[in-house]
């Protein structure tokens, strides 16, 4: 029997539903409320959490790991280390979140009664080896933790103890690399084991198997992979790492990661891996994934736009909003809105964005075309605005008293590409990204990154226009995406406001 969840309202919605560097989505529902968590790697606070009433509009309600007692990344933890692939579940009146800290701590489990927080301190799982941990409970109250590979541990989720020996489970299509991102569900008479395989690059895909017990034996779906865009020219690529959820009306949905590459050959994605939504039908006891596209039919229920993250922050509040992220930690003494009311004050720790331990506060670039502006007072130091992929890949505009400089760091190459005297006092710095409009050359990059300052009358003075491919995952490597933020490289700098304006999805 075919049960269609694709509604016929005529309305459409846009994918990704959570744009920008928001990979490895895990979703759960409690009543009419959906919650979703993503990986955060070297950034602090860690594991962004979102809420939605309609699966389409998501509001960030916090970060699960926002205290040093929950997340202590070594100051030299590598970029694309840190926190990988959470699983978020609602069980027994509580929210459960399990995640791997690959840089220190291994697998960690947290609980909360309200997903907006506070989340507990971690329960450590020293006996659970492997990334991408999943949590599932059977009717006898056993808690099963399944990890990439794919293997499974029975655990006591309250103490973190492993009970008995790990079992090896179905590991995906023979010959396919990287069976990972397992999620285990009891649906009807079967236990379903959903995995990603093929690696998180262009060959990524989603496959599934089913069995009568939580540990199998598992029979693979004859239609595997149930979702992949490998070998296609689809605008959404690298599709994989999925999770399933059922809506109150009985329809099923999948969240997954994908990327939107731009430019010529081989294509570069600059926003990281983003979170997409797609409907799922069930045919003969197997999930059939609907068409994943940038614009797709809206769900059948009334849409409920949430509170979109504001573009502008005037730093008038004592706490930073949850979308602000820093590198590895954020000591309050180095980053505060309390020192100079109405301004964000940053005190330099490291010397520049080449250092792992630099004072940096940024937000994810979520749109291919966007304009970021910030008013900086560099009277007592040096600092500025940067587009960051990692320590070896960033473009910066740095202000010092009387001067601004634009710097491009690309792998081992480091160059001051422009500089200009400025009048004494605060200056507006600007970074603007724009996709390259026409593909008349196979080597065309994905976008340009324009960097400059504003004259007192608001006129833009471009100091450099840089090829965006060098700040893409295909060049830099790793698992993250661009973050555009403020930094301090010497002394103390103050930022009056930061304005993020989307210009095009
Ligand atoms: C994650 C793995 C993956 O652990 O990438 O795409 C890794 N999937 O499941 C890092 O996000």
């Amino acid at each position: 029997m075919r049960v269609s969840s694709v509604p016929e309202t005529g309305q459409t919605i846009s994918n990704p539903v959570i744009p920008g560097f928001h990979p490895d989505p895990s979703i759960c529902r409690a009543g009419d409320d959906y919650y979703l968590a993503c990986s955060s790697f070297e950034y602090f606070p860690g594991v962004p959490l979102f809420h939605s009433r309609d699966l389409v509009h998501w509001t960030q309600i916090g970060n699960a790991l926002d205290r040093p007692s929950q997340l202590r990344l070594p100051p030299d933890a590598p970029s694309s280390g840190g926190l990988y692939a959470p699983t978020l579940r609602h069980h027994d009146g509580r929210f459960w979140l399990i995640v791997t800290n690959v840089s220190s701590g291994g697998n960690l489990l947290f609980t909360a009664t309200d997903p907006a927080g506070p989340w507990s301190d971690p329960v450590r799982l020293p006996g659970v080896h492997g990334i991408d941990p999943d949590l599932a409970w059977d009717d006898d109250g056993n808690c099963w933790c399944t990890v990439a590979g794919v293997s499974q541990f029975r655990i006591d989720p309250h103490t973190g103890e492993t009970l008995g020996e790990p079992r090896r489970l179905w590991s995906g299509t023979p010959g396919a690399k990287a069976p990972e991102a397992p999620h285990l569900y009891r649906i009807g008479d079967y236990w379903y084991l959903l995995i990603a395989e093929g690696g998180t690059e262009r060959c990524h895909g989603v496959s599934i198997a089913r069995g009568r017990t939580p540990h199998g034996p598992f029979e693979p779906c004859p239609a595997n992979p149930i979702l992949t865009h490998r070998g296609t020219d689809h605008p959404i690529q690298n599709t994989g790492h999925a999770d399933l959820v059922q809506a109150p009306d009985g329809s099923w949905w999948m969240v997954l990661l994908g990327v939107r590459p731009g430019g010529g050959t081989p294509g570069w994605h600059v926003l990281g891996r983003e979170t997409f939504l797609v409907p799922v039908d069930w045919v003969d006891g197997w999930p059939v994934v609907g068409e994943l596209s940038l614009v797709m039919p809206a769900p059948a229920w009334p849409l409920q736009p949430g509170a979109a993250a504001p573009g502008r922050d005037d730093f008038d509040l004592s706490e930073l909003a949850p979308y602000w992220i820093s590198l590895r930690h954020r000591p309050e003494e180095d980053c505060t809105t309390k020192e100079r009311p109405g301004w964000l004050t940053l005190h330099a720790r490291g010397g520049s964005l080449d250092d792992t331990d630099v004072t940096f506060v940024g937000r994810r670039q979520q749109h291919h075309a966007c304009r970021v502006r910030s008013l900086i007072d560099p009277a007592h130091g040096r600092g500025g605005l940067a587009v960051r992929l990692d320590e070896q890949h960033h473009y910066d505009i740095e202000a010092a008293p009387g001067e601004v400089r634009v710097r491009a760091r690309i792998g081992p190459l480091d160059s001051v590409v422009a500089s200009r005297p400025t009048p004494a006092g605060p200056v507006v710095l600007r970074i603007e990204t724009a996709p390259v409009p026409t593909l008349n050359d196979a080597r065309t990059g994905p976008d340009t990154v324009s960097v400059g300052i504003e004259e007192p009358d608001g006129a833009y003075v471009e100091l450099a226009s840089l090829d965006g491919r060098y700040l893409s995952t295909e060049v830099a490597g790793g698992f993250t995406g661009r973050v555009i933020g403020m930094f301090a490289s010497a002394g103390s700098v103050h930022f009056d406001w930061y304005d993020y304006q989307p210009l095009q999805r």
Side-chain angles (χ1 to χ4, degrees):
M1 188 184 67
R2 190 176 176 100
V3 185
S4 179
S5 57
V6 181
E8 302 292 340
T9 61
Q11 259 193 304
T12 57
I13 59 148
S14 296
N15 253 325
V17 287
I18 310 183
F21 150 49
H22 292 107
D24 307 331
S26 178
I27 189 168
C28 71
R29 179 171 68 83
D32 291 334
D33 297 288
Y34 300 94
Y35 298 96
L36 187 146
C38 296
S39 300
S40 53
F41 302 96
E42 72 269 30
Y43 290 93
F44 182 97
V47 186
L49 280 170
F50 294 85
H51 169 252
S52 175
R53 301 290 297 242
D54 63 6
L55 285 173
V56 176
H57 300 92
W58 292 91
T59 304
Q60 191 174 353
I61 51 172
N63 296 278
L65 281 61
D66 59 2
R67 311 186 295 272
S69 62
Q70 298 169 304
L71 175 59
R72 217 179 283 279
L73 288 170
D76 60 351
S79 286
S80 284
L83 296 176
Y84 279 31
T87 292
L88 180 65
R89 293 291 178 255
H90 185 239
H91 168 78
D92 206 14
R94 274 208 264 181
F95 292 88
W96 303 76
L97 185 120
I98 187 165
V99 65
T100 314
N101 183 339
V102 300
S103 301
S104 61
N107 286 308
L108 306 168
L109 202 154
F110 303 82
T111 56
T113 48
D114 180 350
W119 284 81
S120 69
D121 280 342
V123 170
R124 289 170 198 283
L125 299 148
V128 175
H129 305 291
I131 59 167
D132 301 357
D134 175 70
L135 287 178
W137 285 261
D138 66 22
D139 288 343
D140 298 327
N142 297 309
C143 180
W144 301 99
C145 177
T146 310
V147 299
V150 173
S151 38
Q152 189 178 66
F153 301 76
R154 188 158 75 88
I155 61 165
D156 179 338
H158 302 282
T159 63
E161 201 186 336
T162 11
L163 310 167
E165 290 302 307
R167 287 171 197 256
R168 198 88 200 158
L169 305 189
W170 176 69
S171 292
T173 309
K177 77 168 185 179
E180 58 190 13
H183 288 305
L184 187 66
Y185 318 87
R186 173 80 189 257
I187 301 171
D189 293 336
Y190 284 104
W191 285 87
Y192 288 86
L193 177 60
L194 183 78
I195 66 162
E197 52 181 350
T200 195
E201 302 83 23
R202 292 292 192 273
C203 287
H204 217 194
V206 181
S207 292
I208 198 162
R210 68 184 182 191
R212 296 285 181 186
T213 78
H215 31 79
F218 288 101
E219 153 205 12
C221 174
N224 279 337
I226 57 170
L227 171 64
T228 187
H229 285 177
R230 66 179 70 126
T232 69
D233 59 3
H234 199 285
I236 308 166
Q237 289 290 319
N238 304 23
T239 49
H241 201 122
D243 199 3
L244 292 169
V245 71
Q246 188 176 27
D249 71 353
S251 61
W252 282 85
W253 299 82
M254 176 183 275
V255 290
L256 69 145
L257 70 76
V259 305
R260 293 181 286 163
T265 299
W268 296 267
H269 75 276
V270 301
L271 300 185
R273 298 170 301 162
E274 310 178 277
T275 289
F276 292 81
L277 175 74
V278 66
V280 171
D281 292 342
W282 288 85
V283 180
D284 299 331
W286 291 110
V288 177
V289 182
E291 198 188 324
L292 171 62
S293 46
L294 295 172
V295 178
M296 64 172 214
W301 45 79
L303 297 182
Q304 299 194 37
R312 185 181 171 99
D313 195 331
D314 283 302
F315 302 121
D316 288 332
L317 302 176
S318 59
E319 301 292 328
L320 285 180
Y323 53 81
W324 290 114
I325 48 176
S326 294
L327 288 164
R328 299 172 180 85
H329 61 156
R330 188 194 284 159
E332 205 191 331
E333 62 271 20
D334 294 341
C335 168
T336 177
T337 53
K338 294 177 188 152
E339 197 169 310
R340 180 170 169 182
W343 295 66
L344 176 70
T345 298
L346 300 185
H347 297 289
R349 271 195 318 265
S352 78
L353 284 159
D354 302 339
D355 302 317
T356 53
D357 193 20
V358 64
T359 307
F360 174 86
V361 181
R363 58 185 284 179
R364 293 156 175 93
Q365 183 185 336
Q366 295 190 277
H367 305 83
H368 281 118
C370 69
R371 178 177 300 155
V372 175
R373 304 159 59 237
S374 184
L375 178 66
I376 182 174
D377 178 357
H380 303 287
R382 278 200 329 264
L385 267 188
V387 189
R388 176 187 195 272
L389 241 285
D390 62 20
E391 287 75 26
Q392 288 86 37
H393 301 87
H394 50 91
Y395 297 157
D396 325 333
I397 177 160
E398 186 186 69
E403 192 199 34
V404 291
R405 300 192 313 167
V406 177
R407 223 188 118 208
R409 169 80 198 262
I410 303 167
L413 306 177
D414 183 4
S415 168
V416 173
V417 292
S419 65
R420 181 189 166 104
T422 51
V427 54
V428 176
L429 308 178
R430 197 199 270 202
I431 292 179
E432 205 161 308
T433 65
V436 176
T438 49
L439 277 180
N440 51 10
D441 184 330
R443 299 162 302 169
T444 304
D447 65 346
T448 52
V449 180
S450 169
V451 184
I453 58 170
E454 286 180 14
E455 300 279 21
D457 65 359
Y460 179 50
V461 181
E462 179 178 87
L463 298 179
S465 174
L466 303 165
D467 188 329
R469 83 181 70 199
Y470 304 112
L471 302 188
S472 70
T473 301
E474 283 77 2
V475 169
F479 296 125
T480 62
R482 285 188 191 159
V483 176
I484 306 182
M486 301 156 284
F487 65 94
S489 41
S492 306
V493 281
H494 306 274
F495 297 86
D496 190 12
W497 47 263
Y498 173 109
D499 190 79
Y500 177 99
Q501 204 184 329
L503 302 174
Q504 179 192 318
R505 279 177 77 81

